[in-house]
Amino acid sequence: TAAIARAAEGLIARHDEGQGAMALARRCARALSADQRFAIAPHALTEARLLLFAAIVECEGGIALDDVLEALIGPHDRDRFALLRVMGLDDAGAFQVAEMLAPVTGLADGGDAALVDFVEDYRAFDAEHAVQWLLDRMSPRALADKLALLDRR
């Protein structure tokens, strides 16, 4: 009977996860064509629909949804720059996103000057850097560790 209870709990948990916000965002992103995803992504982000944006990036870029969210709200601007650049946000969109996320990322502590610096740094972050960031995120961790070891030799 304990095995039946565990199986039932597992089934309920999978069902609950399937109805959660992340699962719904993933289903929505997968239902869109690639062109639609690229068209919607900047709007989703600037309208603070972070889960939908993250699910779109997951579909298009092969980066796990959790990693996308970490890049958006984590401590490193470089991750945000790369993510925004890969998804085609212009300077105005990047400013809007920085302003929206400022309370979470710590950018709010620097005031307007920090936002201006963010956009200036974003302008300097080109597509080549963004693609390299994306490739780094897409490669398996074990492979990256082995390549780092080979580079040290």
Side-chain angles (χ1 to χ4, degrees):
T1 58
I4 293 172
R6 282 193 305 273
E9 288 173 4
L11 182 62
I12 291 169
R14 280 194 303 278
H15 174 73
D16 288 346
E17 284 181 12
Q19 299 304 313
M22 287 183 165
L24 292 174
R26 283 180 171 127
R27 281 200 297 274
C28 181
R30 283 192 304 261
L32 300 169
S33 70
D35 289 341
Q36 290 172 320
R37 284 192 288 263
F38 272 103
I40 290 172
H43 301 291
L45 191 54
T46 57
E47 293 176 13
R49 299 182 190 283
L50 299 182
L51 285 180
L52 178 57
F53 176 80
I56 288 171
V57 173
E58 183 179 57
C59 280
E60 286 301 314
I63 304 170
L65 191 137
D66 291 339
D67 292 340
V68 174
L69 293 173
E70 175 61 28
L72 282 174
I73 63 173
H76 306 291
D77 281 344
R78 180 180 183 274
D79 294 340
R80 265 183 293 289
F81 296 157
L83 197 55
L84 300 178
R85 189 65 71 201
V86 164
M87 294 309 291
L89 261 73
D90 60 12
D91 295 348
F95 177 84
Q96 209 172 1
V97 169
E99 189 174 41
M100 176 188 58
L101 296 175
V104 179
T105 62
L107 200 57
D109 298 340
D112 290 343
L115 288 171
V116 170
D117 290 343
F118 180 90
V119 173
E120 290 300 319
D121 292 344
Y122 182 67
R123 285 182 179 145
F125 195 90
D126 62 14
E128 185 177 319
H129 287 101
V131 168
Q132 186 57 52
W133 178 89
L134 181 63
L135 290 173
D136 290 346
R137 296 304 173 283
M138 290 173 61
S139 65
R141 173 60 51 204
L143 176 61
D145 291 344
K146 287 178 183 177
L147 290 173
L149 281 173
L150 290 174
D151 284 344
R152 286 187 230 159
R153 291 182 182 184

